Amino acid sequence: MLINASGLLHKCDEPKPVQAVRAEDSSPAVPSVSVDQDEEKLPVSNAHGSTGSTDSGGAFAAFQSLVASLAPKVDRDEVAAMIKAEMENIVVPTRTVVERLIGDRKIIANSHEKLADVTTDLLSGEHVLMVGPAGTGKSTIAEQAAESLGLPYFSISLSPMTPASQILGYMQAEGEYVRSLFREAYEHGGVFHFDEFDNGHPSVLAVINASLANAQMAFPDQMVKRHDDFRCVASANTYGRGPDRAYVGRQQIDAATLDRFSIETIGVDESLEYSLCMASGLGKDEVLRVLDYVRNLRANAEQRAMTVVISPRASVGMCRLLAAGKTWEAAVESRMRRGMSDKDWGKLCANY
Ligand SMILES: Nc1ncnc2c1ncn2[C@@H]1O[C@H](COP(=O)(O)OP(=O)(O)OP(=O)(O)O)[C@@H](O)[C@H]1O
Ligand SMILES: [Mg+2]
């Protein structure tokens, strides 16, 4: 019989007392065991009370290498090239967002890339002259700019025959004043658009100039004060320096009138053109074929200073005709060639 130092009877199987208690853990009720021994020799208790060992570590490594061998090999450069190629196929037209001071926002999807510039000019109090080839979307920009600003929109198209009375209004024989759209915008505010500005008669442009130069103006019935929210936006195919090869009938615009406007150049927005073509209902591959064709001819016309205008109206028109079942040749004849001589047509189609 063996007696312990404490004087109690010794039992041979008695477990040894716990050796280390975590210093920060002073509660004997929930002891926490810190194990310093070599992991390779002793089992280690995990959070769920199960045990792990050298064997499980090896199995995990084997599992990892198995997963690695099963995963497809990824070549970073190859993936980057694939993403780049896909991105090049994505054509997204500009989405113009106007944040208004009163807290709401106006979003115009499918807008021309220049809508934001024109809207900003108008917002700053400037009048704007948009200059660009036919069919690039100038009139649409004017309308959308008014919408963006939350102002009423008015528009008239000028020609050499447009009389001043269409701007100022006129007095009837009985002495009653007939108001014009311009008077409405001038007096109560709004965006007034003069389409084909460089096609107007010089005497009418002089009236417009006077209306922009002064804060008030004489209408046939009375003097009228210009509203703070009156803005003028004009569109033209030339910069007002007179006719050119493509736009032969255009007027030279007086320098003082031109000086009243900020000028924005409006070119073909190819993303918008693509989107308008897609809206024709023609399949994507055919739309891309039309755009490739039209843009090559457009570049040729420009390089060779030809007088033809190949606007987005031509590409959209071609897509519409093809979607309606016309043959490629018939669509080309109707929308592109349009009676052009063999010589000019050959020049336009060179290298295509
Ligand atoms: N953002 C747009 N969204 C939808 N359709 C558009 C847009 N911009 C232009 N279009 C369409 O494209 C065509 C040409 O546009 P628009 O009349 O505005 O061009 P323009 O530059 O004023 O032409 P022009 O010089 O002949 O007066 C129109 O049929 C118009 O409806
Ligand atoms: Mg127009």
Side-chain angles (χ1 to χ4, degrees):
M1 186 170 72
L2 287 174
I3 304 293
N4 285 339
S6 59
L8 297 172
L9 185 66
H10 175 76
K11 291 182 185 161
C12 288
D13 312 359
E14 200 171 36
K16 288 182 185 167
V18 170
Q19 292 296 306
V21 175
R22 265 214 303 240
E24 67 270 25
D25 192 348
S26 57
S27 163
V30 193
S32 168
V33 180
S34 155
V35 181
D36 288 334
Q37 285 109 330
D38 190 340
E39 205 183 310
E40 290 202 358
K41 293 182 188 140
L42 284 175
V44 178
S45 175
N46 66 17
H48 305 287
S50 61
T51 57
S53 68
T54 325
D55 289 341
S56 72
F60 182 66
F63 177 68
Q64 273 187 318
S65 86
L66 176 67
V67 169
S69 72
L70 290 176
K73 297 270 180 289
V74 176
D75 180 327
R76 199 185 151 77
D77 292 342
E78 204 178 315
V79 171
M82 284 161 69
I83 292 174
K84 190 162 176 273
E86 279 304 309
M87 294 295 284
E88 276 166 7
N89 281 333
I90 297 175
V91 185
V92 184
T94 308
R95 188 166 167 266
T96 304
V97 180
V98 181
E99 300 276 357
R100 293 184 182 147
L101 282 180
I102 48 172
D104 61 346
R105 56 202 327 240
K106 181 86 207 160
I107 300 176
I108 302 196
N110 255 6
S111 63
H112 193 286
E113 60 195 356
K114 278 301 191 88
L115 173 62
D117 287 337
V118 172
T119 307
T120 305
D121 294 350
L122 292 175
L123 206 54
S124 73
E126 285 288 285
H127 304 298
V128 182
L129 173 60
M130 296 181 289
V131 182
T136 45
K138 300 180 293 299
S139 303
T140 310
I141 292 175
E143 193 177 345
Q144 291 177 337
E147 195 188 337
S148 306
L149 297 175
L151 292 175
Y153 175 69
F154 306 87
S155 178
I156 62 168
S157 194
L158 297 183
S159 80
M161 305 298 286
T162 307
S165 59
Q166 204 176 330
I167 314 269
L168 297 173
Y170 59 93
M171 299 299 286
Q172 283 182 326
E174 309 85 54
E176 200 177 323
Y177 173 62
V178 176
R179 297 173 70 87
S180 61
L181 288 178
F182 184 78
R183 166 71 172 266
E184 204 57 40
Y186 194 86
E187 192 173 358
H188 301 303
V191 172
F192 197 92
H193 175 226
F194 288 105
D195 212 350
E196 317 290 349
F197 193 62
D198 51 355
N199 208 18
H201 192 277
S203 65
V204 167
L205 297 189
V207 169
I208 296 168
N209 180 25
S211 76
L212 303 181
N214 307 307
Q216 54 182 350
M217 174 154 174
F219 284 82
D221 60 333
Q222 64 179 76
M223 288 296 287
V224 176
K225 191 173 169 303
R226 191 170 77 197
H227 196 280
D228 285 346
D229 284 339
F230 168 77
R231 295 286 183 280
C232 177
V233 51
S235 50
N237 297 128
T238 65
Y239 286 94
R241 301 190 191 100
D244 63 22
R245 287 164 63 95
Y247 301 98
V248 288
R250 302 298 152 146
Q251 309 287 331
Q252 186 167 357
I253 302 174
D254 167 71
T257 306
L258 275 180
D259 195 39
R260 311 269 173 231
F261 293 91
S262 276
I263 295 200
E264 294 289 352
T265 300
I266 311 295
V268 174
D269 178 341
E270 294 195 344
S271 305
L272 179 60
E273 184 183 33
Y274 169 80
S275 159
L276 296 178
C277 286
M278 286 300 286
S280 69
L282 193 66
K284 185 176 174 181
D285 289 346
E286 281 291 277
V287 165
L288 293 175
R289 183 181 172 208
V290 169
L291 287 175
D292 181 56
Y293 178 74
V294 170
R295 287 171 187 170
N296 269 290
L297 267 53
R298 190 180 283 155
N300 268 349
E302 190 151 328
Q303 269 167 22
R304 287 149 207 262
M306 295 176 74
T307 53
V308 288
V309 174
I310 303 180
S311 77
R313 282 199 186 98
S315 42
V316 174
M318 245 189 99
C319 289
R320 284 199 192 124
L321 294 178
L322 292 170
K326 269 202 160 186
T327 62
W328 178 268
E329 289 70 27
V332 166
E333 197 60 42
S334 313
R335 276 308 332 192
M336 308 298 297
R337 183 161 182 174
R338 302 151 82 91
M340 211 178 276
S341 69
D342 286 347
K343 187 172 163 231
D344 283 346
W345 183 241
K347 212 165 135 189
L348 191 63
C349 298
N351 309 323
Y352 190 79

